[in-house]
Amino acid sequence: MKNLAPAIFPPKGIGDAKPGNEAVLDWVHEIAILTEPENIFWCDGSDRENEFLIAESLKQNVLIELNQDKVPRSCLHRSNPNDVARVEQFTFVCTPTKDEAGPTNNWSEPRETYAKLRGLLKGAMRGRTMFVIPYMMGPPDSPLTKIGFEITDSKYVVLSMRIMTRMGEIALKRLGNDSHAEWNRGVHSLLDVNPERRFICHFPQDNTIISVGSGYGGNVLLSKKCFALRIGSYLARTQGWMAEHMLILGVESPEGRKHYVAAAFPSACGKTNFAMLIPPAHFKGWKVTTVGDDIAWMQIRDGGLYAVNPENGYFGVVPGTSYKSNPNAMRSIAHDTIYTNVALTDDGDVWWEGKNGPPPAHAFDWRGDNWTSQSKEKAAHPNSRFTTPMRNNPALDADIENGEGVPISAIIFGGRRSDTVPLVYQAFDWNHGIYLGATMASETTAAAAGAVGRVRRDPMAMLPFCGYNIGDYFQHWLDIGKRLTNPPLIFNVNWFRKGADGTFLWPGFGENMRVLEWIIDRCEGHGGAVKSPIGWLPSPHDLDLAELDIDHNAVDELLGLDHEEWQKEIAAHKEFFDSLGSVVPEELQKQRDQLVGRFKL
Ligand code: OXD
Ligand code: MN
């Protein structure tokens, strides 16, 4: 099994950053007794440690060297072909009762699950190294910041966590030696990378995650989906803040007025592209900056919502990334990046479908097999990924380390919908906005194992990531609203609407600036809109479409409401709420009745 490398023995001064916190030491001791590793490697996140681990990974084929002139300090990792995406069917929320996990999560009884996982982990690290990774989520001086530890037997995980989180000494310092301090316990073992022994289990009440049998990022970089979203959302509810699957971007007008917006789109629906948007030439003087591309932790301050990005790097979808679609991402991943499951060219460069330039005549595909430009199969896996430090991003926002967070003027929901849903519209108020989020839907993508292109409801893009009962989650949004005297405005967007010929009506990418400008106009109290049954809709002249090559009919279609399609849509909302049973708050049922009523006016 190519991922299962033998133990490594570092030279003195590497792998010995043992924390002083007794609670952490006791926990590590307990896991070591269970998994029986050859040795324990205490990570400190230093450059020296990183260089040592990269060298060992190259020796053991965990990483493949790339041409350092083409992609400096970057490597390629190939995951097991059976292990290329998040596995929602093997992801569990283990709350004391099934009700606490709710209708959208797989539930499993905590005591039995711990016992099953202990059985799988028994002796799992024999002959191998157990790494202990201390990490911090959030800027160093933020009240929102949290500490986690991940134990893993994968060097790929250690190297990736160093990019994705603030790892090592900085986390140990923040935690300190108080044995009652709050921190997340994460245990990961590759086992034998067998889909039959693959379980991603969350124990929110214990602030604990156990992930076995996978080496794919979304299942094993426990800081991300597991801690920052599933456990994070549970902690957020009990502690009165919000953990959301949202990008955060800053947008500054030529006059220097700056707003921040947070946007929830499902996996692989363009969050990274939107967060790194470059305004088209027509928007001279406008600047978009990135705070985060995937996760927002938000707190209430002065009656408004303030957000931090808990992460330190981007774990983004590679295919389709080009200088046309996302120049800032291309610049970010040009160096110091770990690529996973892309193709390798004969001159040691990386390649994927949608990259600039013609495809190479020959390459090794994501599995390492020969591939030619005539091959029918894709060279890069559709869910191949980059792991890159956020500091590589030329458009990184200046306030990324601001512990108070950035003030959020607008929240945007959006999915991938070929029909029905207009390019953009605005909710009437906070509670109506929650209804838009709760009923949003998207055509499924390769980010999760399973069928691609099926419309599924994905409330707030949190369906796979909400770590507790979705009804309580909706109620939490309603409760937060009661505490906001200056709430963000809420919008819905759909970049993916198609015409009768099956092609996209909207050009997307940088041109989304035109929609963003309307959103900012609305936040500032100007910007025209017409009242429609679903919310405030711009009419074509409310959007700045100058110097855009788009047909008038396409614009009408993009901003139009087809009443027949909406009757089906509202029926689908009802079906979705019915499928959740009695957990949906009364207020959201009321919102649906009002929507039905507005269509009858
Ligand atoms: C991701 C996802 O990897 O949402 O960000 O699947
Ligand atoms: Mn995501």
Side-chain angles (χ1 to χ4, degrees), residues 204-409:
Q205 278 79 0
D206 303 340
N207 203 349
T208 292
I209 305 154
I210 304 177
S211 165
V212 295
S214 171
Y216 169 72
N219 299 326
V220 301
L221 307 179
L222 301 185
S223 59
K224 193 173 181 63
K225 301 305 182 180
C226 300
F227 182 31
L229 287 179
R230 295 195 191 98
I231 299 277
S233 60
Y234 170 84
L235 293 175
R237 175 169 172 251
T238 52
Q239 299 170 355
W241 51 283
M242 301 177 91
E244 298 298 330
H245 190 201
M246 290 179 179
L247 68 92
I248 310 159
L249 63 78
V251 53
E252 193 176 333
S253 71
E255 299 78 37
R257 283 195 314 279
K258 187 157 185 182
H259 289 271
Y260 288 94
V261 309
F265 307 158
S267 308
C269 285
K271 279 204 300 300
T272 305
N273 288 345
F274 193 48
M276 294 184 177
L277 181 152
I278 295 182
H282 176 68
F283 285 81
K284 196 161 177 291
W286 285 84
K287 252 199 323 228
V288 172
T289 47
T290 317
V291 179
D293 81 324
D294 195 41
I295 297 172
W297 282 359
M298 300 191 281
Q299 60 175 341
I300 301 176
R301 277 189 51 228
D302 306 328
L305 269 186
Y306 283 72
V308 299
N309 169 14
E311 300 192 280
N312 199 39
Y314 309 131
F315 177 66
V317 177
V318 179
T321 308
S322 70
Y323 278 102
K324 182 164 175 281
S325 66
N326 191 341
N328 284 329
M330 287 301 279
R331 286 181 200 115
S332 303
I333 65 179
H335 58 95
D336 298 281
T337 294
I338 301 174
Y339 286 92
T340 302
N341 293 339
V342 298
L344 175 67
T345 65
D346 293 345
D347 57 356
D349 200 354
V350 281
W351 192 79
W352 54 85
E353 280 71 19
K355 195 181 181 187
N356 297 76
H362 174 268
F364 295 96
D365 71 9
W366 63 276
R367 294 184 189 85
D369 294 336
N370 280 306
W371 180 93
T372 72
S373 47
Q374 311 307 315
S375 298
K376 286 206 176 53
E377 306 243 315
K378 298 239 188 285
H381 188 276
N383 193 37
S384 52
R385 295 281 176 147
F386 54 75
T387 311
T388 205
M390 69 175 172
R391 282 175 185 77
N392 280 11
N393 179 2
L396 194 66
D397 191 84
D399 261 332
I400 188 76
E401 295 291 335
N402 181 344
E404 292 185 341
V406 295
I408 298 298
S409 300

Side-chain angles (χ1 to χ4, degrees), residues 38 50 112 157 173 233 244 269 324 505 516:
E38 186 80 15
N50 197 54
E112 279 169 23
V157 168
K173 232 205 232 142
S233 60
E244 298 298 330
C269 285
K324 182 164 175 281
L505 291 167
L516 190 53

Side-chain angles (χ1 to χ4, degrees), residues 155-217:
K155 288 187 281 300
Y156 169 74
V157 168
V158 182
L159 295 169
S160 304
M161 287 291 282
R162 184 172 185 265
I163 296 174
M164 294 305 297
T165 70
R166 293 161 173 92
M167 169 185 155
E169 292 294 345
I170 193 168
L172 294 183
K173 232 205 232 142
R174 164 108 183 186
L175 178 69
N177 288 345
D178 175 2
S179 55
H180 297 292
E182 179 196 286
W183 53 279
N184 179 266
R185 293 151 171 76
V187 180
H188 164 248
S189 175
L190 293 161
L191 302 184
D192 55 352
V193 198
N194 182 336
E196 310 217 327
R197 283 185 283 282
R198 184 168 295 157
F199 301 104
I200 325 297
C201 300
H202 306 73
F203 302 86
Q205 278 79 0
D206 303 340
N207 203 349
T208 292
I209 305 154
I210 304 177
S211 165
V212 295
S214 171
Y216 169 72

Side-chain angles (χ1 to χ4, degrees), residues 265-270 414-419 440-445 453-455 493-497 504:
F265 307 158
S267 308
C269 285
R416 188 182 281 271
R417 297 293 301 270
S418 308
D419 50 41
M440 71 187 249
S442 193
E443 290 152 25
T444 49
T445 69
R454 186 173 50 83
V455 173
V493 299
N494 175 23
W495 316 133
F496 301 95
R497 195 154 174 180
F504 290 115

